[in-house]
Amino acid sequence: MTDIGRATVVLDAIAESAGPLTLTELSARTRLPRSTVHRVIQALEGELYVVRVPERPGYVLGPGLLKFGMNAHLRLLAANRARLASLAREVSENVELAVFSGREVVVVDQIASPERLKGVTKVGRSFSLHASCIGMALLAQLPDARVAELLPARLERFTPNTVTDRDALMAELARIRRSHVAVDVEEHDIGICAVATGMTGPTGALQAVSVVMPTRRFKAKAALAVESLRLVNRLVEPDLAIEQHRLA
């Protein structure tokens, strides 16, 4: 593994942690020798990419990373805005852009419809990968081995419709890879349905685009929403997706 690779592994571990991590904890999570982690941390600390936490031992991400994050975020929004707006006009529903955030998926942009969903989804909200169509659309872009690494040992149930069986989840990912469409029928939130597609975006990052609507409108508009996803991803197979999920 290269020095850049080791630094990336260490930064990923810190980013995915709910709190500061010590050198010993980082060594365990990254499976790198503690001496290697110490050397990497020293280099990252010198550039303020990581900083020590005063109140307890350990490291968190530092302000040196902000310049990269802000620039990447603005490029991502600018590259996708026109297509998201076109999709929102086509379906007259909320359209959202999401990307990986550690072991979750986070909404980074939203085009609101006139009948905007209140208090359900907003920019910055994160979702479980397995219980959202944006998460499943992103996971479908990865090999099974990487999916297994990202999923928790126990799949949390958010609603009665949440898929918590790993075999069933992997089978669903196989279907998504064929149609390039993921469907969420109240799997994360009761009263909310969505369809999504995942792809490598204009900036080279994996991303997902979803159409979100209240359940009361989903049956009548699901087919249109799926077909309209071709505005953002030409690989979408609407007929196959509609057949797979019995949306017609």
Side-chain angles (χ1 to χ4, degrees):
M1 187 183 294
T2 65
D3 286 344
I4 292 178
R6 295 185 188 95
T8 299
V9 169
V10 169
L11 288 171
D12 283 346
I14 295 174
E16 293 171 6
S17 174
L21 294 177
T22 65
L23 294 177
T24 300
E25 290 169 333
L26 281 168
S27 178
R29 294 196 182 199
T30 61
R31 299 179 183 177
L32 294 173
R34 191 179 186 281
S35 59
T36 300
V37 172
H38 183 251
R39 177 168 53 82
V40 170
I41 282 292
Q42 282 187 315
L44 294 174
E45 193 175 13
E47 300 295 331
L48 294 181
Y49 296 157
V50 301
V51 294
R52 301 184 195 217
V53 178
E55 57 269 20
R56 57 155 287 188
Y59 296 86
V60 297
L61 297 180
L65 293 173
L66 286 176
K67 58 187 176 184
F68 300 112
M70 293 179 66
N71 182 54
H73 183 70
L74 292 173
R75 287 178 57 237
L76 181 68
L77 301 191
N80 283 283
R81 226 359 148 84
R83 293 191 302 167
L84 296 184
S86 295
L87 178 57
R89 285 194 299 269
E90 184 73 15
V91 296
S92 296
E93 298 290 351
N94 283 13
V95 171
E96 297 172 352
L97 175 67
V99 296
F100 280 112
S101 177
R103 298 179 187 274
E104 294 183 312
V105 55
V106 64
V107 174
V108 295
D109 199 10
Q110 180 188 78
I111 304 291
S113 76
E115 299 180 77
R116 181 170 182 170
L117 297 173
K118 299 291 186 181
V120 174
T121 305
K122 59 183 179 181
V123 173
R125 183 181 179 185
S126 61
F127 292 87
S128 172
L129 290 169
H130 74 279
S132 62
C133 61
I134 48 176
M136 290 291 283
L138 286 172
L139 286 177
Q141 309 304 304
L142 304 176
D144 285 350
R146 181 57 177 153
V147 172
E149 292 175 358
L150 289 173
L151 291 177
R154 174 183 168 274
L155 300 180
E156 183 179 353
R157 183 177 296 281
F158 294 88
T159 77
N161 294 339
T162 305
V163 177
T164 58
D165 179 83
R166 297 180 79 89
D167 290 339
L169 192 78
M170 298 308 291
E172 179 60 22
L173 286 177
R175 286 189 286 271
I176 294 170
R177 288 172 181 136
R178 291 195 294 272
S179 67
H180 298 276
V181 175
V183 177
D184 174 353
V185 181
E186 297 188 329
E187 290 189 35
H188 200 282
D189 296 286
I190 293 296
I192 301 299
C193 297
V195 299
T197 186
M199 76 291 284
T200 299
T203 65
L206 290 180
Q207 61 184 47
V209 175
S210 64
V211 177
V212 187
M213 67 189 79
T215 301
R216 67 179 182 274
R217 294 202 293 268
F218 187 68
K219 184 176 181 180
K221 300 188 72 173
L224 170 63
V226 169
E227 291 166 359
S228 298
L229 287 176
R230 283 183 58 82
L231 290 171
V232 295
N233 185 2
R234 288 296 178 185
L235 295 178
V236 165
E237 296 285 350
D239 293 341
L240 179 57
I242 290 168
E243 178 185 348
Q244 285 176 342
H245 297 280
R246 300 176 183 175
L247 299 177

